[in-house]
Amino acid sequence: MTKRIENYFDNLLEVFSDGVYITNAKGKTITVNSLYEKLTGLKKEDIVGRLVTELVEEQVFNVVLNPIIVKTGQPQTAMQTTKAGRRVLLNGHPIFDKHGNVIFVITFVRDVTVLTQLRDQIANQARLIEKYHQEANALRNKGHDNNVIIVSAKMVNLMQLLKKIAKTDTTALILGETGVGKDVFARQIHENSPRANGPFFKINCATIPENLIESELFGYEPGAFSGASAKGKPGYFELADKGTLFLDELGELPLAMQAKLLRVLQDQEIMRVGSTKVRKVNVRIIAATNRNLEQSVKEGKFRSDLYYRLYVAVLDLPPLRERKEDILPLVDHFLNKFNTKYRKNLSFSVDARELLLNYSWPGNVRQIENMILGLIVTQDKQYLEADDLPCKVRQEQPSASISLPVSNLESKSLRNIMEQLEKDLLKQTLATHHNNVAKAAKALAVDRSTMFRKLKKYRLIS
């Protein structure tokens, strides 16, 4: 009769959709079902009658729940790895006698390999979706990026240079102040290049934590670090293969990563974090920065070899205050864009447009875009006057022209008149360029040493 009950008991265990492992209060293995054998690769005859602590010592598996469940009388959960390398989830429960003592522990065993694979597949699908989304945006915007306003002669010449650079496969470097549109011009290089049908990825080097930059750019192998995906992960250099990778704010890249980037530029080779295998990539690099890289090299913050490797095909985007012809066309562009988006019909008066034209726009194109957006969403009127503009635009007056009182000319020598004109010109130019001596010198076509000497002569600087 006992044998018959035992057979019924074994048949009952086969009904469960999980593996089942039963032990007594001393940790002796009573029985397991066939699904447990299948999940773990362990045979029933090899473990029945054995103490779970002995099996751990023999490294048959690495974790057991029996001792702590018997001690606490509480259910427990843990991950277990078998000798064969299989990972399973343990969910153990106590079985009590009529006196409340634990007499058996039944542990349900579930395979998590499929769950882990599913998680990794979902992560990979998310990366692919992101990649396809960016490529779809690139195709949708291809050939008609209206953010590129080329009215001024400077911008016309710049676009001609851009198209020459785009036809080659050389690394491109885009310089310019914050907000001038370096990312827009990077995409223009890509879309006018032979790689236009390939992927385009933008990475802002200033926004990625330093301890994650390497894995984001170069990818990592399975188990390369705590929290790493079991499948590993390709970096942006691999994702951008046969396309273009735009590294914005390159001047913020740590020195260690600068050395690795130099290797990619020279050899078109990368190595994932945690790997010893070299991978070939075919990717064009476009870099951008608002920093003075030459000065950063002198200060030891940027590698000189990387600087000279980058300084081949250079686009130096001028700020808006140096190409005023583009200001109102940009204003009209963003006005049309946001009027359409928010179903409004705002426009500016002549006086308002005059103020917009004469404002220095320290934030450049991005500042224009954000200001127009702010006006569109906050103003109810359709016709905006000068008083409707932000205070900083209204308060900044155009620089006065240089003049001397005619009545005083007779009492001054030619030398004094010329010195006064020179002083006023230097003062105005310096103010126009926000006290940046180097840019003021460039605007007047003199070297910096001459500029400093003259500014000190007229006591315009200390």
Side-chain angles (χ1 to χ4, degrees), residues 154-155 158 161 165 173-177 180 182 185 289 311 313-319 322-323 439 442:
K154 285 186 177 181
M155 294 304 292
L158 200 66
L161 177 59
I165 292 173
L173 177 63
I174 305 176
L175 304 175
E177 296 179 3
V180 292
K182 295 186 286 293
F185 282 83
T289 182
Y311 215 87
V314 181
L315 285 177
D316 194 350
L317 304 186
E322 294 180 10
R323 50 182 177 105
K439 290 184 177 179
K442 183 178 179 181

mmCIF file of all heavy atoms in Angstrom, residues 154-155 158 161 165 173-177 180 182 185 289 311 313-319 322-323 439 442:
data_model
loop_
_atom_site.group_PDB
_atom_site.id
_atom_site.type_symbol
_atom_site.label_atom_id
_atom_site.label_comp_id
_atom_site.label_asym_id
_atom_site.label_seq_id
_atom_site.Cartn_x
_atom_site.Cartn_y
_atom_site.Cartn_z
ATOM 1 N N LYS A 154 28.633 84.928 -46.018
ATOM 2 C CA LYS A 154 29.418 83.992 -45.207
ATOM 3 C C LYS A 154 28.817 82.596 -45.242
ATOM 4 O O LYS A 154 29.537 81.597 -45.359
ATOM 5 C CB LYS A 154 29.497 84.487 -43.759
ATOM 6 C CG LYS A 154 30.442 85.653 -43.535
ATOM 7 C CD LYS A 154 30.557 85.978 -42.058
ATOM 8 C CE LYS A 154 31.567 87.107 -41.826
ATOM 9 N NZ LYS A 154 31.715 87.428 -40.388
ATOM 10 N N MET A 155 27.493 82.525 -45.127
ATOM 11 C CA MET A 155 26.837 81.221 -45.108
ATOM 12 C C MET A 155 26.833 80.568 -46.487
ATOM 13 O O MET A 155 26.932 79.346 -46.615
ATOM 14 C CB MET A 155 25.414 81.359 -44.573
ATOM 15 C CG MET A 155 25.354 81.785 -43.113
ATOM 16 S SD MET A 155 26.287 80.679 -42.023
ATOM 17 C CE MET A 155 25.299 79.200 -42.131
ATOM 18 N N LEU A 158 30.149 79.114 -46.840
ATOM 19 C CA LEU A 158 30.279 77.978 -45.933
ATOM 20 C C LEU A 158 29.595 76.734 -46.498
ATOM 21 O O LEU A 158 30.122 75.618 -46.399
ATOM 22 C CB LEU A 158 29.679 78.335 -44.581
ATOM 23 C CG LEU A 158 30.125 77.493 -43.388
ATOM 24 C CD1 LEU A 158 31.596 77.716 -43.090
ATOM 25 C CD2 LEU A 158 29.298 77.820 -42.161
ATOM 26 N N LEU A 161 31.724 75.187 -49.125
ATOM 27 C CA LEU A 161 32.798 74.414 -48.516
ATOM 28 C C LEU A 161 32.270 73.104 -47.937
ATOM 29 O O LEU A 161 32.908 72.048 -48.063
ATOM 30 C CB LEU A 161 33.462 75.245 -47.412
ATOM 31 C CG LEU A 161 34.571 74.559 -46.596
ATOM 32 C CD1 LEU A 161 35.711 74.113 -47.501
ATOM 33 C CD2 LEU A 161 35.078 75.488 -45.497
ATOM 34 N N ILE A 165 33.531 69.215 -48.646
ATOM 35 C CA ILE A 165 33.943 68.299 -47.579
ATOM 36 C C ILE A 165 33.096 67.038 -47.595
ATOM 37 O O ILE A 165 33.597 65.922 -47.402
ATOM 38 C CB ILE A 165 33.839 69.003 -46.208
ATOM 39 C CG1 ILE A 165 34.879 70.122 -46.103
ATOM 40 C CG2 ILE A 165 34.023 68.012 -45.067
ATOM 41 C CD1 ILE A 165 34.732 70.980 -44.856
ATOM 42 N N LEU A 173 35.552 68.523 -38.813
ATOM 43 C CA LEU A 173 35.498 69.207 -37.526
ATOM 44 C C LEU A 173 34.678 70.484 -37.682
ATOM 45 O O LEU A 173 34.969 71.314 -38.547
ATOM 46 C CB LEU A 173 36.900 69.538 -37.032
ATOM 47 C CG LEU A 173 37.007 70.322 -35.715
ATOM 48 C CD1 LEU A 173 36.418 69.507 -34.567
ATOM 49 C CD2 LEU A 173 38.455 70.698 -35.426
ATOM 50 N N ILE A 174 33.641 70.622 -36.858
ATOM 51 C CA ILE A 174 32.775 71.796 -36.895
ATOM 52 C C ILE A 174 32.999 72.615 -35.631
ATOM 53 O O ILE A 174 32.842 72.112 -34.517
ATOM 54 C CB ILE A 174 31.287 71.401 -37.009
ATOM 55 C CG1 ILE A 174 31.070 70.496 -38.228
ATOM 56 C CG2 ILE A 174 30.404 72.637 -37.099
ATOM 57 C CD1 ILE A 174 29.643 69.991 -38.365
ATOM 58 N N LEU A 175 33.374 73.875 -35.820
ATOM 59 C CA LEU A 175 33.632 74.773 -34.702
ATOM 60 C C LEU A 175 32.553 75.845 -34.642
ATOM 61 O O LEU A 175 31.950 76.182 -35.664
ATOM 62 C CB LEU A 175 35.009 75.433 -34.860
ATOM 63 C CG LEU A 175 36.213 74.497 -35.010
ATOM 64 C CD1 LEU A 175 37.474 75.305 -35.266
ATOM 65 C CD2 LEU A 175 36.377 73.623 -33.786
ATOM 66 N N GLY A 176 32.324 76.377 -33.478
ATOM 67 C CA GLY A 176 31.342 77.456 -33.363
ATOM 68 C C GLY A 176 30.789 77.550 -31.965
ATOM 69 O O GLY A 176 30.848 76.601 -31.180
ATOM 70 N N GLU A 177 30.227 78.704 -31.667
ATOM 71 C CA GLU A 177 29.646 78.938 -30.355
ATOM 72 C C GLU A 177 28.420 78.050 -30.131
ATOM 73 O O GLU A 177 27.861 77.486 -31.074
ATOM 74 C CB GLU A 177 29.237 80.405 -30.222
ATOM 75 C CG GLU A 177 30.389 81.386 -30.281
ATOM 76 C CD GLU A 177 29.924 82.831 -30.177
ATOM 77 O OE1 GLU A 177 28.701 83.046 -29.993
ATOM 78 O OE2 GLU A 177 30.765 83.739 -30.287
ATOM 79 N N VAL A 180 24.859 77.683 -32.592
ATOM 80 C CA VAL A 180 24.966 78.129 -33.981
ATOM 81 C C VAL A 180 24.424 77.097 -34.967
ATOM 82 O O VAL A 180 24.267 77.397 -36.152
ATOM 83 C CB VAL A 180 26.417 78.486 -34.364
ATOM 84 C CG1 VAL A 180 26.890 79.716 -33.623
ATOM 85 C CG2 VAL A 180 27.359 77.307 -34.136
ATOM 86 N N LYS A 182 25.547 73.483 -35.033
ATOM 87 C CA LYS A 182 26.585 72.533 -35.459
ATOM 88 C C LYS A 182 25.984 71.178 -35.813
ATOM 89 O O LYS A 182 26.442 70.515 -36.748
ATOM 90 C CB LYS A 182 27.635 72.387 -34.353
ATOM 91 C CG LYS A 182 28.424 73.677 -34.083
ATOM 92 C CD LYS A 182 29.554 73.479 -33.094
ATOM 93 C CE LYS A 182 29.070 73.321 -31.676
ATOM 94 N NZ LYS A 182 28.465 74.559 -31.129
ATOM 95 N N PHE A 185 24.512 71.228 -39.353
ATOM 96 C CA PHE A 185 25.530 71.159 -40.401
ATOM 97 C C PHE A 185 26.182 69.786 -40.459
ATOM 98 O O PHE A 185 26.589 69.333 -41.530
ATOM 99 C CB PHE A 185 26.567 72.268 -40.198
ATOM 100 C CG PHE A 185 26.090 73.614 -40.661
ATOM 101 C CD1 PHE A 185 25.302 74.400 -39.831
ATOM 102 C CD2 PHE A 185 26.383 74.072 -41.929
ATOM 103 C CE1 PHE A 185 24.823 75.626 -40.252
ATOM 104 C CE2 PHE A 185 25.911 75.297 -42.371
ATOM 105 C CZ PHE A 185 25.132 76.079 -41.537
ATOM 106 N N THR A 289 32.722 71.149 -31.516
ATOM 107 C CA THR A 289 33.006 71.686 -30.196
ATOM 108 C C THR A 289 32.854 73.202 -30.210
ATOM 109 O O THR A 289 33.022 73.839 -31.249
ATOM 110 C CB THR A 289 34.433 71.315 -29.737
ATOM 111 O OG1 THR A 289 34.647 71.816 -28.411
ATOM 112 C CG2 THR A 289 35.485 71.891 -30.659
ATOM 113 N N TYR A 311 41.990 68.255 -37.316
ATOM 114 C CA TYR A 311 42.037 69.558 -37.963
ATOM 115 C C TYR A 311 42.435 69.413 -39.438
ATOM 116 O O TYR A 311 43.507 69.826 -39.858
ATOM 117 C CB TYR A 311 43.024 70.480 -37.233
ATOM 118 C CG TYR A 311 42.588 71.921 -37.219
ATOM 119 C CD1 TYR A 311 41.747 72.391 -36.224
ATOM 120 C CD2 TYR A 311 42.983 72.803 -38.214
ATOM 121 C CE1 TYR A 311 41.326 73.711 -36.198
ATOM 122 C CE2 TYR A 311 42.565 74.127 -38.206
ATOM 123 C CZ TYR A 311 41.735 74.574 -37.190
ATOM 124 O OH TYR A 311 41.320 75.883 -37.187
ATOM 125 N N ALA A 313 39.476 68.889 -42.289
ATOM 126 C CA ALA A 313 38.358 69.537 -42.976
ATOM 127 C C ALA A 313 37.536 70.269 -41.922
ATOM 128 O O ALA A 313 36.790 69.648 -41.160
ATOM 129 C CB ALA A 313 37.505 68.494 -43.700
ATOM 130 N N VAL A 314 37.687 71.579 -41.860
ATOM 131 C CA VAL A 314 37.127 72.366 -40.753
ATOM 132 C C VAL A 314 36.058 73.335 -41.253
ATOM 133 O O VAL A 314 36.258 74.036 -42.245
ATOM 134 C CB VAL A 314 38.237 73.153 -40.022
ATOM 135 C CG1 VAL A 314 37.647 73.941 -38.858
ATOM 136 C CG2 VAL A 314 39.328 72.208 -39.544
ATOM 137 N N LEU A 315 34.926 73.330 -40.551
ATOM 138 C CA LEU A 315 33.876 74.326 -40.778
ATOM 139 C C LEU A 315 33.781 75.194 -39.530
ATOM 140 O O LEU A 315 33.468 74.696 -38.442
ATOM 141 C CB LEU A 315 32.520 73.651 -41.024
ATOM 142 C CG LEU A 315 32.285 72.989 -42.377
ATOM 143 C CD1 LEU A 315 30.920 72.319 -42.376
ATOM 144 C CD2 LEU A 315 32.382 73.981 -43.511
ATOM 145 N N ASP A 316 34.054 76.469 -39.662
ATOM 146 C CA ASP A 316 33.977 77.400 -38.527
ATOM 147 C C ASP A 316 32.710 78.243 -38.696
ATOM 148 O O ASP A 316 32.672 79.171 -39.506
ATOM 149 C CB ASP A 316 35.224 78.290 -38.488
ATOM 150 C CG ASP A 316 35.358 79.031 -37.168
ATOM 151 O OD1 ASP A 316 34.393 79.001 -36.379
ATOM 152 O OD2 ASP A 316 36.425 79.618 -36.922
ATOM 153 N N LEU A 317 31.661 77.875 -37.947
ATOM 154 C CA LEU A 317 30.368 78.540 -38.108
ATOM 155 C C LEU A 317 30.367 79.887 -37.398
ATOM 156 O O LEU A 317 30.598 79.946 -36.185
ATOM 157 C CB LEU A 317 29.245 77.666 -37.537
ATOM 158 C CG LEU A 317 29.130 76.242 -38.097
ATOM 159 C CD1 LEU A 317 27.881 75.569 -37.548
ATOM 160 C CD2 LEU A 317 29.101 76.256 -39.608
ATOM 161 N N PRO A 318 30.088 80.961 -38.106
ATOM 162 C CA PRO A 318 30.085 82.283 -37.470
ATOM 163 C C PRO A 318 28.838 82.470 -36.618
ATOM 164 O O PRO A 318 27.770 81.941 -36.932
ATOM 165 C CB PRO A 318 30.082 83.241 -38.665
ATOM 166 C CG PRO A 318 29.424 82.462 -39.759
ATOM 167 C CD PRO A 318 29.812 81.032 -39.548
ATOM 168 N N PRO A 319 28.940 83.226 -35.532
ATOM 169 C CA PRO A 319 27.750 83.523 -34.722
ATOM 170 C C PRO A 319 26.820 84.459 -35.476
ATOM 171 O O PRO A 319 27.214 85.107 -36.448
ATOM 172 C CB PRO A 319 28.335 84.189 -33.475
ATOM 173 C CG PRO A 319 29.634 84.779 -33.942
ATOM 174 C CD PRO A 319 30.157 83.841 -34.993
ATOM 175 N N GLU A 322 27.634 88.096 -36.434
ATOM 176 C CA GLU A 322 28.562 88.327 -37.542
ATOM 177 C C GLU A 322 27.919 88.028 -38.896
ATOM 178 O O GLU A 322 28.581 88.129 -39.928
ATOM 179 C CB GLU A 322 29.815 87.467 -37.356
ATOM 180 C CG GLU A 322 30.645 87.866 -36.143
ATOM 181 C CD GLU A 322 31.885 87.003 -35.973
ATOM 182 O OE1 GLU A 322 32.198 86.217 -36.898
ATOM 183 O OE2 GLU A 322 32.545 87.099 -34.917
ATOM 184 N N ARG A 323 26.654 87.655 -38.910
ATOM 185 C CA ARG A 323 25.926 87.426 -40.170
ATOM 186 C C ARG A 323 24.468 87.868 -39.979
ATOM 187 O O ARG A 323 23.542 87.073 -40.037
ATOM 188 C CB ARG A 323 26.021 85.965 -40.605
ATOM 189 C CG ARG A 323 25.679 84.930 -39.512
ATOM 190 C CD ARG A 323 25.852 83.529 -40.059
ATOM 191 N NE ARG A 323 25.610 82.510 -39.071
ATOM 192 C CZ ARG A 323 24.499 81.749 -39.011
ATOM 193 N NH1 ARG A 323 23.530 81.924 -39.890
ATOM 194 N NH2 ARG A 323 24.370 80.822 -38.084
ATOM 195 N N LYS A 439 38.660 87.904 -30.755
ATOM 196 C CA LYS A 439 37.658 88.083 -31.812
ATOM 197 C C LYS A 439 37.628 89.535 -32.295
ATOM 198 O O LYS A 439 37.413 89.787 -33.487
ATOM 199 C CB LYS A 439 36.292 87.650 -31.303
ATOM 200 C CG LYS A 439 36.191 86.137 -31.100
ATOM 201 C CD LYS A 439 34.796 85.717 -30.693
ATOM 202 C CE LYS A 439 34.710 84.198 -30.574
ATOM 203 N NZ LYS A 439 33.367 83.734 -30.166
ATOM 204 N N LYS A 442 40.464 89.922 -34.650
ATOM 205 C CA LYS A 442 40.150 89.279 -35.930
ATOM 206 C C LYS A 442 39.217 90.158 -36.766
ATOM 207 O O LYS A 442 39.385 90.279 -37.988
ATOM 208 C CB LYS A 442 39.504 87.918 -35.678
ATOM 209 C CG LYS A 442 39.211 87.124 -36.944
ATOM 210 C CD LYS A 442 38.614 85.758 -36.605
ATOM 211 C CE LYS A 442 38.301 84.978 -37.876
ATOM 212 N NZ LYS A 442 37.698 83.658 -37.559
#
